Amino acid sequence: MPEPVLGILTLYLNDAKQLEEKSVYRRMIIEGSRIGLDVFVFTPADVHVSKEQINALVYDIKSGTWSRKWRSFPNMIYDRCRIQRSQRFQQLLRFRARYDHLTFLNRPLRNKWTVHQTFSQRSRFRQHMPETLLYQSSADLHRMLKFSPVVYVKPINGTGGRGILRIERQREGKHLYDIQGRRQSRQIIAPRKVTLNRLESIVRQWCLGGRFLVQQGIPLRLPSGRFHDYRMLVQKNGQGVWEFTGMAGRVGAARSVTSNLHGGGHAMKAEVLLKQWLGSEERADKAMRTAEKLGLEAAAYLEDSFGALCELALDLAIDREGKIYVLEVNPKPAREVFARSGDSATYRKALIRPLEYAMWVYKNKNTPSSAKTVEE
Ligand SMILES: Nc1ncnc2c1ncn2[C@@H]1O[C@H](COP(=O)(O)OP(=O)(O)O)[C@@H](O)[C@H]1O
Ligand SMILES: [Mg+2]
């Protein structure tokens, strides 16, 4: 019997056809071969529609080399493409629409605002959502500043900590506000104090040409002055069941209001950081367990709401009382955070689980449904 085939769908970074995660894909191909899964990499630009073939990137494990090979469409597709403003992304949208009938392990999620509204429909999740409004005018900014002394402004389609503004109401009188942030280019905007009038016009400018959220800021400043949060990964396993893979702490760069690794942040073991932050191992354990349960239930709920998912990363803010907030969910997470926090076992698990899940999907797809019920 031929081996099941998994195609990793990605996008070229540029016209030189470079790939961002090539070394990750290489590892996945090697791990795939160990469990009997044939894995190749392709982009929408490599698909020959009339020939019904793909000029795929294949990796030869023995010689350790990449090459091109014409391949049939894979049995399953693992989509790694992230939103970007480019022709390549438009081509991806056409690919997804045309080949909708193929088996995708994961489907794209929606923007941060739609996801927030979806979570907010359930009290189970609403309690873990920061207060959030879609910015329409200065009135929304006022409302949020009344509710919370710290407010974050961020794009509904942002990634990697881009285009994020942090506003803090000054405690002592004079109606001054501290603002700092990161531009679309991720360049750091140094902190400065402004009046309410000035703040309004800065935010108005900031939100031009896109849709933005104004969100309650969760207090995440460490004693060192840096901001931190937690990245949790849940994935479907080889039995098709959601499982917790791991959690890591992220500490932002100096002067950064975001903790994303791409913005110069560094990773730590979650247990270590949480214990420091909450003051005891017991409180850290409790928060970890609550977070884990939340992550698993959130993934299942989003899958029901938006379609197939095989993994989900959650950016979690945990305040000093141990209360957990979901800042963002990411259906196509990088796993580097686990390698960088020194947790190589979790890193490996994070790479292998989608492959084991693909095997499960393949088996179930090709088992007649009556046989499946008997198995259950
Ligand atoms: N409401 C908030 N309170 C505190 N920090 C926040 C808040 N929203 C975002 N951040 C910080 O900014 C980072 C990036 O925000 P996020 O919503 O995850 O967007 P992105 O898609 O750019 O990663 C977070 O990892 C966190 O460090
Ligand atoms: Mg994020």
Side-chain angles (χ1 to χ4, degrees), residues 182-200:
R182 280 183 177 261
R183 295 185 199 286
Q184 282 300 336
S185 61
R186 277 210 202 99
Q187 186 198 355
I188 290 186
I189 304 175
R192 57 190 167 124
K193 290 188 198 342
V194 297
T195 61
L196 183 58
N197 254 337
R198 186 79 192 101
L199 176 70
E200 280 177 8

Side-chain angles (χ1 to χ4, degrees), residues 49 58 75 84 133-134 147 181 215-217 234 289 324 332 336 373:
V49 177
V58 297
N75 302 108
Q84 53 168 255
L133 296 169
L134 183 67
F147 176 79
Q215 186 167 74
Q216 167 193 6
V234 293
R289 278 196 305 273
I324 298 171
K332 295 177 193 151
E336 261 37 55
T373 358

Side-chain angles (χ1 to χ4, degrees), residues 298-317:
Y301 176 59
L302 290 183
E303 181 168 41
D304 278 351
S305 308
F306 298 119
L309 277 183
C310 63
E311 56 191 350
L312 188 74
L314 295 95
D315 290 347
L316 299 176

Side-chain angles (χ1 to χ4, degrees), residues 3-142:
E3 282 191 342
V5 183
L6 177 71
I8 300 178
L9 174 63
T10 183
L11 290 174
Y12 292 123
L13 284 174
N14 45 36
D15 293 337
K17 297 200 166 179
Q18 276 177 306
L19 292 177
E20 192 176 4
E21 292 195 299
K22 210 165 174 184
S23 62
V24 176
Y25 304 149
R26 180 169 47 81
R27 269 198 79 167
M28 292 184 84
I29 290 169
I30 295 169
E31 298 289 356
S33 80
R34 292 198 177 129
I35 60 170
L37 183 67
D38 176 3
V39 184
F40 67 72
V41 179
F42 73 107
T43 79
D46 305 324
V47 176
H48 198 296
V49 177
S50 52
K51 212 166 153 178
E52 290 191 12
Q53 292 250 308
I54 298 174
N55 194 14
L57 269 164
V58 297
Y59 181 75
D60 185 73
I61 299 173
K62 276 201 202 98
S63 61
T65 52
W66 288 94
S67 61
R68 294 272 172 190
K69 208 170 173 183
W70 284 100
R71 301 283 310 254
S72 311
F73 280 89
N75 302 108
M76 292 151 298
I77 296 175
Y78 177 48
D79 182 347
R80 296 291 302 157
C81 305
R82 271 174 249 164
I83 193 163
Q84 53 168 255
R85 272 197 203 123
S86 72
Q87 271 304 314
R88 288 185 290 272
F89 193 75
Q90 295 309 312
Q91 199 174 21
L92 168 72
L93 296 182
R94 289 194 295 275
F95 173 86
R96 283 186 189 143
R98 176 174 295 169
Y99 296 105
D100 189 49
H101 56 281
L102 297 179
T103 302
F104 287 77
L105 298 185
N106 53 342
R107 292 285 181 181
L109 273 185
R110 308 285 290 280
N111 67 62
K112 290 183 164 99
W113 176 235
T114 306
V115 169
H116 177 85
Q117 286 176 303
T118 305
F119 274 135
S120 298
Q121 284 166 14
R122 296 284 159 89
S123 59
R124 162 74 182 104
F125 300 114
R126 201 183 315 128
Q127 52 175 325
H128 294 289
M129 297 296 134
E131 286 298 320
T132 306
L133 296 169
L134 183 67
Y135 176 85
Q136 274 156 331
S137 74
S138 295
D140 300 309
L141 180 63
H142 285 267

Side-chain angles (χ1 to χ4, degrees), residues 112 154 158-161 164 229 231 250 259-260 314-316 327-330:
K112 290 183 164 99
K154 57 188 187 187
T159 55
I164 297 187
D229 66 3
R231 174 45 82 95
R250 301 187 301 186
S259 55
N260 305 60
L314 295 95
D315 290 347
L316 299 176
L327 296 182
E328 190 208 1
V329 294
N330 191 332

